[in-house]
Amino acid sequence: MNKDSRRSFIKKSVLAGSGIALAGSTYSTFANENVLGANDQVRVAVIGLNGHGRGNHIPSFKKIPGVKIAALCDVDLTILNETAAELAKENIQVDKYQDIRKLLERKDIDAVSIATPNHWHALAAIWACQAGKDVLVEKPVSHSIWEGRKIVDAARKYDRMVQADFDRRSHEDRKKSYEYLQSGKLGKVLFVKSVNYKRRESIGLINVPQPIPGSVDYDLWCGPTPMRPLMRQNLHYDWHWQYLTGNAELGNNGPHTLDCVRWALGIKGAPQSVFSIGGRYGYMDNGDVPNSLLAIYHYNGIPIVYESRALPEDPNSENMDGMEAVSATGKRIFFPHERTSPNTREAFFCEDGILYNNKIYDNDGNQVSSIDAGPSKGPKEHFIEAVKSRDIADLRIDIEEGHRSTAFCHLGNISYQLGKQTPLDNIYELLGDNPFLLDAFSGFQKHLSTHGIDIATQLPVLGPQLFYHSEQEKFHGQHSEMANLFLKDTYRAPFVIHDQV
């Protein structure tokens, strides 16, 4: 078949609604040629409703003048119908779609807001770009590093406004705080600690496949992933804790805090190296990702530690831990939390003090000042401004930045996935004599011992130290051959991301 015949075949197939298997070529046929003016109404579709889509995206868009929520999409008809009924009570009438491909055929939809499970983020975003829609996509923007780059490629090729929904980029006090850090007033940054202490219960242990809810199109739910039997108690949400569809806590909430680290330090790409230490402690279940993790990065001589904890501060409390580390002078600093809510913070330990949130401390832990910047717009508002202006500068976090911050998280997960249970002496050998890293590992060990877990006998998984080239987006050096196999997922037809988007 020559090129002209093939192009004609594709066009006819699309118009007939039978171009499903042609994901790499199909949706550009639907490109939206309308360019919005400053006063035009923006018609938005929300895709994925069971979590942030229903709880955050819809409420946020409802508040923005000039925005109409025109359509909803979810593979679970029960959730889809419930959400549409809730909107109908407010006299907001929406069209409903179970299949994203049918939604994307709508030429009058200007933008989509994607809050699906992680394994659908990239494909949904790419298809939407090809269909001429602007895109807001939840964190992590991708399930793998390669497909994150493909979203960037699609955004540029189809001239779409694509924003990563990383809320903290819209916080003006953070912007001011990081400008203060970058001014050098606290001296050289010596160490960065980013924590995500968030209670996570066991997802349960089952040994036989579970039934799929009758309201769910399981073929669509699986999408790009293999269509395997359901081996967990709950189809929804608990997918986070299996690598096939999720990215562990590092990929779930890590993008928020590690994006702030990149922003604050001015990291253009990703750190040069990473290794991970962790395990799934405190219960036995069908989860295959760590619930306790240290991901240790190095960037231009600065160690960056990300830590996630799923267990509370002790067995008799529901509160989550506060953050602690040592200052430049060796003083132990503790930032209390004392709440059941998640503790998701980052701290920058410098020669002459500490930046924690928007507060400045001296090296003895005494607060010196705080940085306040007044009210901030939300990320959805910034996105809508860019949709109207067609100016990428109006995006608070363009997809390129969202991709790089997500890759930051993927690196730590890849190290863990290549790891094996390792005696503590070998772990200390890799940590070296860096006081910040030794203190971080000591805190990790102490936290687990509080729950009766001795990691000297219940050995943690140690992932190999991996070296990463940000521009090539590949690993190099020792272990790179295996690590590079994790850069790209495999895809199930017809839900395929092609090399040429």
Side-chain angles (χ1 to χ4, degrees):
M1 182 182 292
N2 62 38
K3 290 183 179 179
D4 290 338
S5 298
R6 176 175 173 78
R7 187 179 297 111
S8 176
F9 170 76
I10 292 172
K11 183 175 181 181
K12 290 177 181 177
S13 298
V14 169
L15 292 176
S18 59
I20 293 172
L22 305 172
S25 310
T26 298
Y27 287 116
S28 59
T29 306
F30 299 117
N32 187 345
E33 298 179 354
N34 296 326
V35 178
L36 291 170
N39 298 317
D40 289 333
Q41 186 180 65
V42 179
R43 295 172 61 84
V44 174
V46 179
I47 303 169
L49 305 172
N50 196 45
H52 277 308
R54 191 176 186 176
N56 177 276
H57 290 227
I58 288 174
S60 297
F61 283 118
K62 284 196 304 183
K63 296 176 184 177
I64 303 174
V67 172
K68 176 178 175 56
I69 300 174
L72 302 177
C73 181
D74 198 281
V75 299
D76 189 329
L77 289 177
T78 296
I79 294 168
L80 178 63
N81 291 331
E82 287 177 356
T83 309
E86 290 169 1
L87 289 174
K89 292 178 183 177
E90 304 176 54
N91 293 319
I92 300 173
Q93 303 300 322
V94 295
D95 294 320
K96 298 178 294 183
Y97 296 88
Q98 191 175 30
D99 190 332
I100 184 177
R101 294 165 295 192
K102 295 298 182 182
L103 166 65
L104 293 177
E105 293 176 9
R106 285 273 298 274
K107 290 187 177 182
D108 61 334
I109 299 294
D110 302 302
V112 299
S113 191
I114 299 169
T116 63
N118 297 359
H119 65 286
W120 256 107
H121 285 181
L123 183 61
I126 290 166
W127 277 359
C129 288
Q130 292 171 334
K133 319 302 182 192
D134 296 318
V135 177
L136 180 76
V137 59
E138 265 289 349
K139 49 75 187 171
V141 300
S142 63
H143 190 253
S144 68
I145 292 176
W146 177 85
E147 67 182 29
R149 173 53 58 190
K150 294 295 106 177
I151 309 175
V152 178
D153 291 348
R156 303 300 183 250
K157 179 176 180 179
Y158 298 102
D159 195 22
R160 295 295 92 200
M161 298 293 110
V162 183
Q163 178 172 296
D165 195 40
F166 294 7
D167 297 358
R168 297 181 183 188
R169 284 278 179 153
S170 294
H171 297 176
E172 294 299 327
D173 57 350
R174 288 184 182 274
K175 181 174 183 290
K176 295 289 186 182
S177 297
Y178 298 155
E179 288 172 352
Y180 183 90
L181 182 74
Q182 293 162 4
S183 74
K185 292 178 182 178
L186 289 175
K188 181 182 177 181
V189 178
L190 302 176
F191 170 64
V192 180
K193 190 168 187 179
S194 165
V195 304
N196 184 73
Y197 300 159
K198 186 170 185 177
R199 185 73 177 105
R200 298 296 188 187
E201 302 283 354
S202 168
I203 67 171
L205 182 64
I206 53 100
N207 297 309
V208 296
Q210 299 299 290
I212 306 302
S215 60
V216 173
D217 185 322
Y218 193 55
D219 178 49
L220 286 175
W221 192 96
C222 293
T225 64
M227 194 172 172
R228 296 176 180 171
L230 178 62
M231 292 301 296
R232 60 178 181 275
Q233 289 179 352
N234 300 311
L235 172 65
H236 295 309
Y237 199 80
D238 288 349
W239 53 262
H240 278 294
W241 320 127
Q242 294 180 336
Y243 273 126
L244 181 66
T245 48
N247 299 96
E249 199 68 87
L250 178 54
N252 183 35
N253 281 301
H256 285 309
T257 59
L258 291 178
D259 178 63
C260 287
V261 173
R262 283 191 60 244
W263 184 13
L265 298 183
I267 301 175
K268 299 301 182 185
Q272 288 95 4
S273 72
V274 61
F275 63 93
S276 294
I277 305 166
R280 195 161 183 85
Y281 288 110
Y283 39 72
M284 292 183 61
D285 63 7
N286 291 112
D288 61 17
V289 306
N291 67 358
S292 302
L293 180 75
L294 289 173
I296 298 172
Y297 304 86
H298 285 87
Y299 170 74
N300 287 356
I302 302 172
I304 301 167
V305 170
Y306 166 89
E307 183 176 19
S308 58
R309 296 179 182 178
L311 304 177
E313 61 181 2
D314 65 64
N316 300 313
S317 172
E318 289 299 316
N319 289 340
M320 299 310 294
D321 280 312
M323 182 199 290
E324 59 181 330
V326 292
S327 72
T329 58
K331 174 87 175 201
R332 175 160 297 285
I333 308 298
F334 180 70
F335 298 112
H337 186 65
E338 298 176 348
R339 296 189 296 277
T340 60
S341 59
N343 183 7
T344 56
R345 302 286 188 269
E346 54 283 332
F348 301 85
F349 294 82
C350 308
E351 292 173 316
D352 302 318
I354 304 161
L355 172 65
Y356 176 69
N357 284 344
N358 63 327
K359 296 179 174 60
I360 308 299
Y361 297 82
D362 64 23
N363 280 323
D364 290 326
N366 301 307
Q367 184 177 334
V368 176
S369 62
S370 63
I371 299 171
D372 299 304
S376 303
K377 291 181 181 179
K380 278 74 172 177
E381 292 175 274
H382 288 293
F383 172 62
I384 293 300
E385 286 179 357
V387 169
K388 290 184 175 183
S389 71
R390 314 311 302 165
D391 186 349
I392 198 171
D394 286 336
L395 294 173
R396 185 46 63 106
I397 178 166
D398 170 60
I399 188 58
E400 176 77 48
E401 290 298 300
H403 160 58
R404 291 187 181 277
S405 292
T406 297
F408 202 142
C409 304
H410 290 322
L411 297 179
N413 275 328
I414 292 171
S415 174
Y416 181 85
Q417 289 173 282
L418 289 173
K420 61 182 180 180
Q421 288 185 293
T422 303
L424 300 193
D425 287 346
N426 299 72
I427 294 175
Y428 280 115
E429 184 178 346
L430 189 55
L431 292 171
D433 59 1
N434 186 291
F436 300 110
L437 299 186
L438 291 171
D439 181 73
F441 185 60
S442 174
F444 173 85
Q445 187 171 9
K446 179 182 176 183
H447 165 69
L448 291 173
S449 69
T450 302
H451 291 271
I453 299 165
D454 180 6
I455 63 171
T457 55
Q458 298 183 54
L459 297 178
V461 170
L462 173 65
Q465 186 169 24
L466 303 175
F467 296 89
Y468 185 71
H469 194 292
S470 289
E471 293 307 312
Q472 296 176 2
E473 296 190 335
K474 288 185 177 181
F475 295 98
H476 61 92
Q478 192 175 13
H479 309 292
S480 61
E481 184 175 356
M482 286 297 296
N484 283 327
L485 296 177
F486 286 79
L487 293 174
K488 180 182 178 180
D489 291 343
T490 56
Y491 301 97
R492 181 175 67 97
F495 307 99
V496 178
I497 299 175
H498 296 281
D499 289 318
Q500 300 299 319
V501 295

